Amino acid sequence: MWTQNYSIERMLIPANPDLYLLFPHRPALLPSLDAQTVRHGFPYQPSSMAHDPVQKILAIGTQSGALRLFGRPGVECYCQHESGAAVISLQFLINEGALVSALADDSVHLWNLRQRRPAILHSLKFNRERITFVHLPFQSKWLYIGTEKGNIHIVNVESFTLSGYVIMWNKAIELSSKAHPGPVVHISDNPMDEGKLIIGYEAGIVVLWDLKSKKADYRYTYDEAIHSVAWHHEGKQFICSHSDGTLTIWNIKGQGKPFQTITPHGKQPKDGKKPEPCKPILKVEYKTTRLGDPFMILSGGLSYDTVGRRPCLTVMHGKSTAVLEMDYPIVDFLTLCETPYSNDFQEPYAVVVLLEKDLVVIDLAQNGYPIFENPYPLTIHESPVTCCEYFADCPVDLIPALYSVGSRQKRQGYSKKEWPISGGNWGLGTQSYPEIIITGHADGTVKFWDASAIMLQVLYKLKTAKVFEKSRNNKEDKQNTEIVDEDPFAIQIMAWCPESRMLCVAGVSANLIIYRFSRQEITTEVVQVGRPPRPPDPRLTPPPAATPLTGSETTYPASSITPLKQSSGYQVELVVQLVWVSGEPPQQITSLALNSSYGLIVFGNSNGLAVVDYLQKTVLLNLGTVELYGSNDPYQRQARSPRKTRQPGLINKHDSLEDQTGSTSLPAILLECMRAIWLLLVNMCVFSPCVRVLYLSVLSSTVLLSVCPPRGANPLDHRDNSFSRSRSSSVTSIDKEAREAITSFHFCETFARKGDSAITPCLYVGTSLGTVLAVALNLPPAGEQRLLQPVIVLPSGTLARLKGSILRMAFLDNTGTFLPPAFETWYEPNAAGADSEERDKARKRRPVSVSPSTSQELQESQYAVVCSEKQAKVIALPSQNCIFKHSITETSFVLRADVVQMNIGNCVACFCANGHIMTLR
């Protein structure tokens, strides 16, 4: 779609912002929809930046030769220079749909941005001189390239060839001066006369060069090195930034001395002496306004006595000076102005600041200079990503629902204006189904991203750390908050059901939080869980064994009814906290799964597993890994440490916190755990009031394996800390057999035992020793009975054994069609009136997967697909015969696997540790 024609004299910005293209005659930037890989996140090691003020497009180059182009939210593009050399300079051919890039290998490239996928049209390589600066004037066909030797070469942009015009350094400076002026650090043309060039040399010399007469008109010398130069729009003055933290303003027809010298951050002595030297001012920009004072914007220049101060951007406007601290070092900054013409009042409205790990845009038009809220998915690594899940073909109403609650989240301190980089078209993808990516972060944040249009857009943010309130009134707490582990709230594993919108999050501190989605804000009176007496720091002194408590002997603070206000979106349903037992800390959670149709959560660690009924808030099963085998344990295990407490068995619904009035009936082992210690969070916070908190210990019946991970360990390294891997040579065979961790789960409706004639709800469990075990589930009828009658859980034997840890399981029908787990459709949990009746009707229905009835014969079989670190197997059910086995890799191992649907059918997709991605049909 094209805009109507405008005069190119001054009408550069079209009046209708809703049109696809932002300028007449020029195609706007399009994302590369045919690219094989889409990259999200902040550009790694950025090195340069450029902006097209007409098309409103931003370009960022990196030290690895990558090029990222950004327009309006959703318009992004990734390009790569083949050489991989660092991008040292970028220059837009403003409003031409083209870009010039200069690399550290002394090559210059011309990119065409007007085609579907940007490509290099021309390249030029310098062999004898190193490129230090590049300048391309607006609406000019001449590209100026400065070099380390001090020379300037001129390139014709249209043909991308050298013109033969060279400005030699020895002709530019005084003929009587024999000293080399240093590399070229700046080139720019006079705003009022494009035939006059300002050339800045590092040693402190500035030359005004006449292109027609091929000689220097004026020379300006300063005794400090120059870092940057900027013009006043009238072309009568320019400003230089220096290595001693000073700014010098020069008249072009001056007498060789600066008109004014400024030290923005230097202390001014009273006796009239020169200010104390400051850090170098790396860049300065001078922008004028028609009705007010000009803006002088600079990076660096802080006083040397400001030790430990963060990097700053200084904005000087009239008599006011604002110092804006940044979280990371400044790579470059650009001032966005209303006009691309340098000979007019610029009217600056924003500053784009490229940091080493962030992109910040500052609003110059509002008091306090607030920043714009960044709409790009650059913030995906704002806190390190510790886990990630991808969901395709989600319900069509899910993305609007998440966006609706996400848009209500308070975002204070941001500019009220729209994001100023608004060029290009919205890049709509070819997918016909909604896609969502969920990321868990080291600070406990969970982010939901819309990936349907190829480019990520954040929908909703959830802060799980809110479940834990810091104690502010207890002086004892303040003394103990100094010694804490890094990232105690880090997300380790997530389980999400898109249909029911139930979410379960496992943290690195061995806690589990279950959330239910609601569009309504609620305030509920719930039990405030009392805090146990404070024990010694668990990392310094193991807690002593506690004596089981009974009735009146309890020393816990009394429970209290406290109102809990939860905003619309994900609201806390249940918290499960693994606790210390007999001086041993709980192992981190290694696997997690939920099923909304059954109302169950299952999780495991290196000791065993637990099944939790989140509808009745009870623990259904709490078994060690060995107990799942029963009498059919294939390994002759030896206990590594004696059992100090009674053997844990099944924990029924009466073993949990009963209700919201504070009455409890806990087994002795849980009371001992509660009194012993909480995990990492005990020294810094207590649980917020939430619907219910379960304290649980997951232990093996024959061995006690509680290995505390080292302080500062990566949360993603839990697999090596909690159980043995096949590549480890330092663990004995006995330890390998004993350290059998739970690595994966899968809910399904299938044949629980060999030879069964009817399908039943089942849970399949995969272990680190390559075993797949079945657990049968006996569920009461849906509706009121489901909330009153107990769920019966019973281990049912071994299905298969593979080489390496079990990573993924899936089930197919007899035609090879993937059978998804049963699920419950979402309903509003806080509905009232007529909506409440619809909710009750929905709860009485329990959707299940399509499956054969009890009268059907055995030949109506299913197929189980199991993938481990080394192998993949297909097993027929109910006969449990292995009909296919494949060795995936011998030299490496599979990190992650899944059963995916492709146009050729269902496949097993594997991502290996050697970086290879393979699919098995």
Side-chain angles (χ1 to χ4, degrees):
M1 187 174 184
W2 298 89
T3 60
Q4 62 184 16
N5 292 332
Y6 289 97
S7 169
I8 306 183
E9 285 294 322
R10 291 288 180 180
M11 186 75 72
L12 291 177
I13 308 300
N16 187 354
D18 296 327
L19 296 179
Y20 280 45
L21 301 183
L22 296 182
F23 186 71
H25 317 302
R26 309 298 185 196
L29 175 70
L30 289 173
S32 54
L33 302 180
D34 57 343
Q36 297 180 353
T37 304
V38 179
R39 299 168 186 256
H40 301 296
F42 186 77
Y44 181 63
Q45 293 182 332
S47 56
S48 57
M49 178 173 58
H51 178 252
D52 188 327
V54 179
Q55 295 282 343
K56 296 187 182 298
I57 296 169
L58 185 71
I60 296 177
T62 72
Q63 294 185 23
S64 59
L67 197 62
R68 293 282 292 274
L69 303 172
F70 297 94
R72 68 178 61 186
V75 176
E76 296 181 31
C77 185
Y78 173 88
C79 309
Q80 176 69 49
H81 294 88
E82 291 185 2
S83 67
V87 181
I88 61 175
S89 180
L90 293 172
Q91 295 285 320
F92 270 105
L93 278 68
I94 295 177
N95 199 40
E96 295 287 338
L99 177 71
V100 173
S101 60
L103 307 187
D105 63 354
D106 307 312
S107 61
V108 186
H109 308 273
L110 177 63
W111 290 83
N112 179 13
L113 307 180
R114 288 175 285 181
Q115 57 194 48
R116 184 174 182 86
R117 187 173 185 180
I120 294 177
L121 289 179
H122 302 286
S123 297
L124 193 62
K125 185 75 164 60
F126 284 71
N127 296 321
R128 297 181 179 179
E129 297 190 62
R130 300 196 65 87
I131 298 174
T132 57
F133 196 87
V134 177
H135 171 62
L136 179 63
F138 178 45
Q139 295 180 335
S140 173
K141 66 177 180 179
W142 302 110
L143 176 69
Y144 301 93
I145 300 177
T147 69
E148 191 176 37
K149 289 185 177 181
N151 304 323
I152 296 176
H153 301 268
I154 303 177
V155 177
N156 185 297
V157 176
E158 296 175 352
S159 63
F160 221 69
T161 57
L162 289 170
S163 67
Y165 190 123
V166 181
I167 304 174
M168 305 299 292
W169 68 270
N170 54 355
K171 292 183 179 180
I173 66 172
E174 293 283 355
L175 297 178
S176 60
S177 175
K178 296 182 179 180
H180 193 277
V184 175
V185 296
H186 180 83
I187 308 171
S188 62
D189 55 310
N190 189 310
M192 290 298 182
D193 187 355
E194 61 182 12
K196 306 285 187 180
L197 285 184
I198 275 285
I199 306 170
Y201 294 94
E202 186 181 66
I205 299 175
V206 178
V207 176
L208 182 63
W209 182 266
D210 189 324
L211 289 170
K212 293 182 180 179
S213 63
K214 298 182 180 181
K215 66 178 183 179
D217 286 348
Y218 297 97
R219 298 178 179 91
Y220 317 88
T221 304
Y222 195 69
D223 57 359
E224 292 290 342
I226 293 175
H227 287 277
S228 68
V229 182
W231 279 102
H232 187 281
H233 82 274
E234 293 179 348
K236 297 178 180 180
Q237 287 183 334
F238 62 89
I239 183 171
C240 300
S241 69
H242 300 277
S243 58
D244 63 345
T246 60
L247 298 172
T248 54
I249 301 176
W250 303 76
N251 292 324
I252 61 170
K253 295 182 179 180
Q255 301 299 320
K257 293 183 179 181
F259 168 75
Q260 185 180 4
T261 302
I262 305 171
T263 308
H265 298 288
K267 297 179 181 179
Q268 299 294 335
K270 296 181 180 179
D271 53 5
K273 295 181 180 180
K274 289 183 64 175
E276 295 181 4
C278 296
K279 297 177 183 179
I281 298 178
L282 301 179
K283 185 176 182 179
V284 63
E285 290 199 347
Y286 191 85
K287 303 298 180 182
T288 57
T289 60
R290 192 177 301 274
L291 300 177
D293 296 319
F295 281 86
M296 196 179 297
I297 305 169
L298 54 104
S299 62
L302 295 179
S303 174
Y304 279 103
D305 60 6
T306 55
V307 179
R309 191 168 187 177
R310 294 188 295 178
C312 295
L313 186 79
T314 303
V315 180
M316 303 173 66
H317 184 218
K319 296 181 180 180
S320 68
T321 299
V323 180
L324 309 177
E325 290 190 341
M326 303 293 163
D327 292 332
Y328 307 101
I330 298 175
V331 177
D332 194 7
F333 74 88
L334 296 171
T335 306
L336 307 187
C337 302
E338 296 290 350
T339 176
Y341 292 98
S342 59
N343 60 356
D344 197 358
F345 290 95
Q346 280 83 54
E347 305 295 342
Y349 59 88
V351 180
V352 180
V353 187
L354 178 63
L355 308 177
E356 285 188 355
K357 296 182 180 180
D358 200 1
L359 180 69
V360 177
V361 180
I362 301 167
D363 187 352
L364 293 177
Q366 292 189 32
N367 294 331
Y369 303 129
I371 66 172
F372 291 85
E373 186 174 10
N374 197 321
Y376 304 137
L378 302 179
T379 57
I380 192 171
H381 297 291
E382 182 180 19
S383 174
V385 175
T386 53
C387 59
C388 181
E389 298 291 339
Y390 166 75
F391 299 87
D393 202 11
C394 299
V396 293
D397 60 341
L398 184 56
I399 289 179
L402 290 170
Y403 180 80
S404 176
V405 296
S407 61
R408 300 178 207 167
Q409 293 178 322
K410 295 181 180 179
R411 298 177 175 89
Q412 299 178 351
Y414 291 104
S415 172
K416 298 179 181 179
K417 295 183 179 180
E418 295 292 330
W419 182 251
I421 304 168
S422 55
N425 290 342
W426 182 278
L428 297 179
T430 58
Q431 288 82 353
S432 59
Y433 48 84
E435 296 174 284
I436 291 178
I437 292 176
I438 307 179
T439 55
H441 299 263
D443 63 353
T445 303
V446 177
K447 295 181 181 180
F448 292 78
W449 305 83
D450 179 9
S452 305
I454 295 182
M455 302 308 170
L456 293 183
Q457 181 182 8
V458 65
L459 297 171
Y460 176 74
K461 298 178 183 179
L462 174 65
K463 296 181 179 180
T464 63
K466 288 185 177 180
V467 176
F468 310 98
E469 278 187 351
K470 287 188 177 181
S471 182
R472 301 177 181 176
N473 298 324
N474 194 333
K475 295 182 179 179
E476 180 186 354
D477 294 341
K478 296 180 181 180
Q479 298 174 358
N480 293 327
T481 54
E482 296 180 359
I483 306 176
V484 294
D485 282 304
E486 297 179 2
D487 303 328
F489 304 112
I491 306 300
Q492 198 161 15
I493 309 176
M494 297 178 294
W496 187 51
C497 176
E499 290 79 10
S500 66
R501 306 180 189 175
M502 292 295 299
L503 172 67
C504 186
V505 176
V508 72
S509 298
N511 54 60
L512 206 68
I513 310 174
I514 302 170
Y515 293 92
R516 189 183 292 275
F517 185 86
S518 175
R519 292 176 298 190
Q520 301 179 12
E521 183 180 281
I522 60 170
T523 301
T524 310
E525 288 190 346
V526 294
V527 173
Q528 169 70 54
V529 178
R531 181 179 184 179
R534 179 175 299 282
D537 181 58
R539 292 177 305 278
L540 303 179
T541 307
T547 304
L549 304 177
T550 58
S552 60
E553 295 179 350
T554 179
T555 59
Y556 299 114
S559 299
S560 60
I561 303 298
T562 308
L564 170 65
K565 184 177 182 180
Q566 300 199 67
S567 303
S568 59
Y570 276 100
Q571 300 167 351
V572 178
E573 177 85 359
L574 178 68
V575 174
V576 179
Q577 175 68 62
L578 299 188
V579 291
W580 289 57
V581 176
S582 301
E584 296 287 348
Q587 289 292 297
Q588 295 178 0
I589 296 172
T590 58
S591 52
L592 175 67
L594 73 84
N595 187 284
S596 60
S597 175
Y598 307 155
L600 301 179
I601 291 285
V602 57
F603 62 95
N605 60 12
S606 61
N607 293 327
L609 64 85
V611 181
V612 176
D613 182 346
Y614 65 80
L615 296 179
Q616 298 187 31
K617 312 296 189 297
T618 60
V619 180
L620 302 175
L621 186 68
N622 180 17
L623 285 181
T625 311
V626 179
E627 292 176 305
L628 290 173
Y629 289 98
S631 59
N632 299 319
D633 186 2
Y635 305 107
Q636 299 296 323
R637 306 172 196 260
Q638 298 181 15
R640 296 179 63 227
S641 60
R643 172 66 62 191
K644 298 180 180 180
T645 58
R646 70 175 180 86
Q647 302 292 335
L650 292 175
I651 300 179
N652 59 36
K653 67 177 182 179
H654 301 293
D655 292 334
S656 66
L657 297 181
E658 285 284 324
D659 51 41
Q660 298 180 1
T661 62
S663 59
T664 59
S665 175
L666 294 168
I669 186 172
L670 295 185
L671 287 171
E672 177 183 356
C673 298
M674 291 175 65
R675 187 172 183 179
I677 197 169
W678 288 24
L679 192 60
L680 300 175
L681 306 175
V682 71
N683 281 335
M684 57 181 298
C685 56
V686 296
F687 281 111
S688 298
C690 59
V691 175
R692 203 70 58 83
V693 178
L694 296 178
Y695 299 89
L696 183 60
S697 169
V698 181
L699 298 173
S700 167
S701 61
T702 58
V703 293
L704 182 59
L705 302 173
S706 296
V707 181
C708 185
R711 184 173 182 180
N714 190 329
L716 293 181
D717 292 336
H718 63 85
R719 299 178 64 178
D720 283 323
N721 291 330
S722 58
F723 60 89
S724 169
R725 301 185 60 84
S726 58
R727 65 181 185 274
S728 175
S729 60
S730 61
V731 183
T732 65
S733 58
I734 295 178
D735 289 337
K736 285 182 180 180
E737 293 172 357
R739 294 167 64 91
E740 185 172 12
I742 306 297
T743 57
S744 62
F745 294 110
H746 187 82
F747 284 102
C748 60
E749 299 206 354
T750 183
F751 304 94
R753 298 174 180 83
K754 184 176 182 179
D756 276 2
S757 59
I759 65 168
T760 58
C762 295
L763 167 67
Y764 277 88
V765 181
T767 75
S768 60
L769 295 185
T771 304
V772 179
L773 301 154
V775 178
L777 307 174
N778 189 348
L779 300 166
E784 193 68 22
Q785 296 183 61
R786 172 61 183 86
L787 302 178
L788 298 177
Q789 297 180 15
V791 177
I792 300 175
V793 183
L794 184 63
S796 302
T798 302
L799 173 65
R801 292 191 180 94
L802 283 76
K803 182 181 179 181
S805 298
I806 303 297
L807 300 179
R808 183 69 67 173
M809 295 169 280
F811 287 79
L812 311 175
D813 64 12
N814 57 354
T815 65
T817 303
F818 177 70
L819 292 175
F823 60 85
E824 179 184 57
T825 55
W826 178 79
Y827 60 86
E828 174 54 61
N830 302 316
D835 293 336
S836 179
E837 295 179 3
E838 293 297 326
R839 177 195 65 185
D840 294 338
K841 291 180 181 179
R843 296 193 65 172
K844 292 178 181 179
R845 301 190 300 267
R846 181 170 61 86
V848 296
S849 301
V850 178
S851 53
S853 64
T854 56
S855 61
Q856 290 178 302
E857 298 181 0
L858 293 181
Q859 61 262 28
E860 294 295 332
S861 61
Q862 297 177 348
Y863 298 97
V865 181
V866 185
C867 183
S868 73
E869 291 179 323
K870 296 287 187 179
Q871 291 180 321
K873 281 187 178 182
V874 179
I875 301 167
L877 299 176
S879 64
Q880 296 188 1
N881 294 326
C882 179
I883 62 174
F884 181 79
K885 180 173 69 174
H886 178 73
S887 179
I888 300 175
T889 177
E890 293 294 340
T891 59
S892 184
F893 57 92
V894 179
L895 289 172
R896 186 153 182 169
D898 200 358
V899 176
V900 297
Q901 187 175 4
M902 305 178 71
N903 55 0
I904 59 175
N906 291 315
C907 301
V908 177
C910 304
F911 175 51
C912 297
N914 57 13
H916 293 173
I917 298 176
M918 61 183 72
T919 55
L920 309 175
R921 184 179 177 185

